[in-house]
Amino acid sequence: AQSVTQPDIHITVSEGASLELRCNYSYGATPYLFWYVQSPGQGLQLLLKYFSGDTLVQGIKGFEAEFKRSQSSFNLRKPSVHWSDAAEYFCAVGGSGYSTLTFGKGTMLLVSP
Amino acid sequence: DTGVSQDPRHKITKRGQNVTFRCDPISEHNRLYWYRQTLGQGPEFLTYFQNEAQLEKSRLLSDRFSAERPKGSFSTLEIQRTEQGDSAMYLCASSPTLVVVDTQYFGPGTRLTVL
């Protein structure tokens, strides 16, 4: 079975500082990996995805993520956080044989002035 | 492309009542998914359709839950005899292709509160 662990429930970052949100997955073959963002009371918006190829993927809003097979990780990064980035971030995994996605429990990002 | 829409956005009901939610996927998207999200958790898969066929159901989908996608376009999710444990955000998503895994685009969700 596939699973996702997001070890940090909450993270607080100062505006302008860099950000890294951790995601570890468990999956037997090559995973399909996603990061979504959810603002309060809203649905999920796709930030970026990894299916194959270059292990460093670029997404919207200045986010990027790096797939590291040896560490079973897909961490999300942003060099300079803006107050509008405050939201909840979800990592998800899918793969061959699983048409659905398995999500982590999310990391709530708080941005301090 | 107007995105995935869901109706209603909020629903408050009394325990024991039946409720029905509607999801309109992005036009011509073949797959439609239902997820449930409770407070402090990520979305959990409930069921999905490929066109009008319901291909998979989660163990979370008890007998009180039923979903349809009659013409391969919009979908409905009905919960019968609601319980307080059904209180959650119900999310719908759609994806455009028939490959095994593709990007899922989510709607704004329907928040259900069972009193």
Side-chain angles (χ1 to χ4, degrees), chain A:
Chain A
Q2 55 196 30
S3 66
V4 174
T5 301
Q6 293 182 246
D8 303 305
I9 299 174
H10 296 98
I11 281 186
T12 300
V13 175
S14 298
E15 190 169 16
S18 63
L19 169 70
E20 183 169 26
L21 301 182
R22 296 183 291 165
C23 171
N24 292 98
Y25 67 90
S26 174
Y27 184 71
T30 299
Y32 296 73
L33 295 160
F34 303 81
W35 275 99
Y36 284 86
V37 61
Q38 186 177 36
S39 297
Q42 301 298 313
L44 281 74
Q45 180 184 22
L46 179 70
L47 285 176
L48 47 79
K49 62 187 179 185
Y50 171 78
F51 281 9
S52 64
D54 193 347
T55 57
L56 184 63
V57 294
Q58 303 296 320
I60 63 171
K61 303 184 180 185
F63 286 92
E64 66 178 27
E66 186 172 12
F67 170 57
K68 293 185 178 180
R69 183 188 300 276
S70 62
Q71 299 177 18
S72 298
S73 69
F74 188 57
N75 294 348
L76 182 71
R77 301 193 294 249
K78 186 171 184 178
S80 178
V81 169
H82 188 262
W83 64 266
S84 61
D85 293 324
E88 191 156 23
Y89 291 79
F90 292 94
C91 181
V93 64
S96 177
Y98 293 91
S99 295
T100 64
L101 298 181
T102 297
F103 285 84
K105 293 187 176 183
T107 297
M108 180 67 73
L109 173 65
L110 305 173
V111 180
S112 61

Side-chain angles (χ1 to χ4, degrees), chain B residues 33-103:
Chain B
Y33 306 80
W34 285 99
Y35 290 83
R36 182 173 69 186
Q37 185 179 23
T38 53
L39 199 62
Q41 302 294 319
E44 296 173 294
F45 166 72
L46 292 178
T47 187
Y48 93 93
F49 293 83
Q50 186 163 296
N51 300 315
E52 65 275 9
Q54 188 173 18
L55 294 190
E56 190 174 341
K57 293 193 289 187
S58 161
R59 291 190 303 269
L60 293 175
L61 209 67
S62 76
D63 292 342
R64 297 184 296 105
F65 287 70
S66 62
E68 294 183 339
R69 194 184 183 196
K71 297 182 179 179
S73 57
F74 73 92
S75 175
T76 58
L77 177 68
E78 181 183 16
I79 308 174
Q80 296 182 327
R81 304 181 304 282
T82 52
E83 301 173 356
Q84 288 186 327
D86 297 331
S87 296
M89 175 79 90
Y90 290 84
L91 294 165
C92 176
S94 68
S95 63
T97 70
L98 298 178
V99 298
V100 175
V101 180
D102 199 354
T103 302

